[in-house]
């Protein structure tokens, strides 16, 4: 008996070089700044609190600057004194120059006046640099936001002593976000920079498409997990 042909669908098997897998991660801001100061002093005012949005350059914290203002006044006085001495030394040198042309003073005396003028000019420069240094220190008493973002942590209160390098605030930049994940060693070969990945945020019940931007080449300090 003649049988009817059976309709079939063919499939060509292949090798999936990029297996899919799921790992957990943490959403972080692309830029996070731990704001601190380079001087020691009492905190006069904290203008922000966690959750506040701030703009680049916005004033965040002020530190008492009474001592630095006194040093600035001293530096200004020293600069004014050095400039007056420089003006006097310039006039003396010109006077000795005319006397030397008239053979009224020796060349040695003229050279001494030139050395004195050079020395006073150096003192003017030193006084100017000292004033610039104090002025730069004053900027550290007014802590401003390095970029537009959100204050996420405040580690100091008004009246507390601020120390050089000690954290005052933490600011996270708004906009671009990163997802930091740990990939096991047996899967890291499947991860390449530039590839897309689906990011599921359970708290929002939403999915996004992200791009792998960095892959750590070492897992020495992470127990076989690659960042």
């Amino acid at each position: 008996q003649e049988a009817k042909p059976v309709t079939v669908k063919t499939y060509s098997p292949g090798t999936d070089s990029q297996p899919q897998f799921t790992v957990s991660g943490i959403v972080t801001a692309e830029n996070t700044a731990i704001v601190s100061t380079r001087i020691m002093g009492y905190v006069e005012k904290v203008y922000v609190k966690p959750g506040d949005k701030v703009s680049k350059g916005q004033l965040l914290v002020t530190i008492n600057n009474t001592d630095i203002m006194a040093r600035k006044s001293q530096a200004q006085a020293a600069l004014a004194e050095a400039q007056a001495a420089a003006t006097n030394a310039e006039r003396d040198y010109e006077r000795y120059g005319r006397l030397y042309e008239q053979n009224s003073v020796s060349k040695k005396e003229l050279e001494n006046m030139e050395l004195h003028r050079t020395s006073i000019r150096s003192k003017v420069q030193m006084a100017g640099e000292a004033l610039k240094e104090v002025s730069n220190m004053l900027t550290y008493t007014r802590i401003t936001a390095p970029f537009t973002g959100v204050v996420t942590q405040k580690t100091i209160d008004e009246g507390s002593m601020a120390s050089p390098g000690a954290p005052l605030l933490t600011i996270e930049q708004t906009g671009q976000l990163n997802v930091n994940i740990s990939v096991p060693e047996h899967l890291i070969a499947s991860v390449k920079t530039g590839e897309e990945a689906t990011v599921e945020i359970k708290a929002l019940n939403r999915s996004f498409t992200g791009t792998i931007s960095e892959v750590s080449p070492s897992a020495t300090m992470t127990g076989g997990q690659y960042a």
Side-chain angles (χ1 to χ4, degrees):
Q1 184 179 359
E2 185 177 354
K4 296 182 180 180
V6 179
T7 303
V8 297
K9 293 182 180 180
T10 59
Y11 172 75
S12 299
T15 301
D16 187 1
S17 60
Q18 300 295 331
Q20 293 184 349
F21 57 92
T22 301
V23 289
S24 298
I26 300 174
V27 181
T28 62
E30 187 176 30
N31 290 322
T32 300
I34 299 177
V35 181
S36 61
T37 181
R38 294 180 62 179
I39 65 170
M40 178 174 290
Y42 288 101
V43 176
E44 286 188 340
K45 185 73 174 177
V46 181
Y47 295 91
V48 294
K49 61 183 182 301
D52 287 351
K53 295 181 179 180
V54 296
S55 302
K56 182 178 180 179
Q58 179 178 334
L59 182 62
L60 306 175
V61 180
T62 54
I63 300 174
N64 186 278
N65 60 5
T66 304
D67 294 342
I68 301 178
M69 289 299 296
R71 291 174 58 183
K72 183 178 181 180
S73 297
Q74 295 174 356
Q76 289 174 332
L79 178 59
E81 181 181 3
Q83 289 174 337
T87 300
N88 189 48
E90 190 70 32
R91 292 173 180 173
D92 287 345
Y93 177 76
E94 293 176 355
R95 188 180 304 112
Y96 268 70
R98 291 191 295 268
L99 292 174
Y100 177 74
E101 292 176 355
Q102 299 171 4
N103 295 323
S104 298
V105 296
S106 64
K107 185 176 182 181
K108 177 63 176 175
E109 290 175 313
L110 179 62
E111 290 176 349
N112 288 338
M113 291 306 301
E114 184 178 5
L115 290 174
H116 178 66
R117 181 185 67 169
T118 303
S119 175
I120 295 298
R121 285 179 175 177
S122 298
K123 290 181 179 180
V124 171
Q125 184 176 0
M126 291 174 59
E129 293 298 324
L131 179 58
K132 186 185 299 183
E133 180 182 4
V134 175
S135 298
N136 288 337
M137 290 181 64
L138 272 176
T139 62
Y140 302 133
T141 64
R142 294 175 59 84
I143 312 302
T144 58
F147 47 70
T148 299
V150 177
V151 179
T152 58
Q153 191 174 12
K154 179 169 74 74
T155 55
I156 199 165
D157 297 313
E158 296 176 8
S160 301
M161 177 66 73
S163 302
L168 303 177
L169 300 166
T170 302
I171 300 176
E172 294 187 2
Q173 191 173 31
T174 54
Q176 191 80 5
L177 298 175
N178 289 339
V179 179
N180 298 325
I181 65 173
S182 296
V183 180
E185 186 175 1
H186 68 281
L187 293 174
I188 191 61
S190 303
V191 179
K192 301 290 187 298
T193 57
E195 292 181 343
E196 291 185 346
T198 301
V199 181
E200 296 180 356
I201 310 296
K202 292 184 178 180
L204 302 178
N205 195 24
R206 292 182 59 186
S207 296
F208 304 89
T209 300
T211 303
I212 300 174
S213 58
E214 299 177 9
V215 178
S216 174
S218 174
T220 303
M221 306 299 293
T222 56
Q225 300 289 316
Y226 288 80

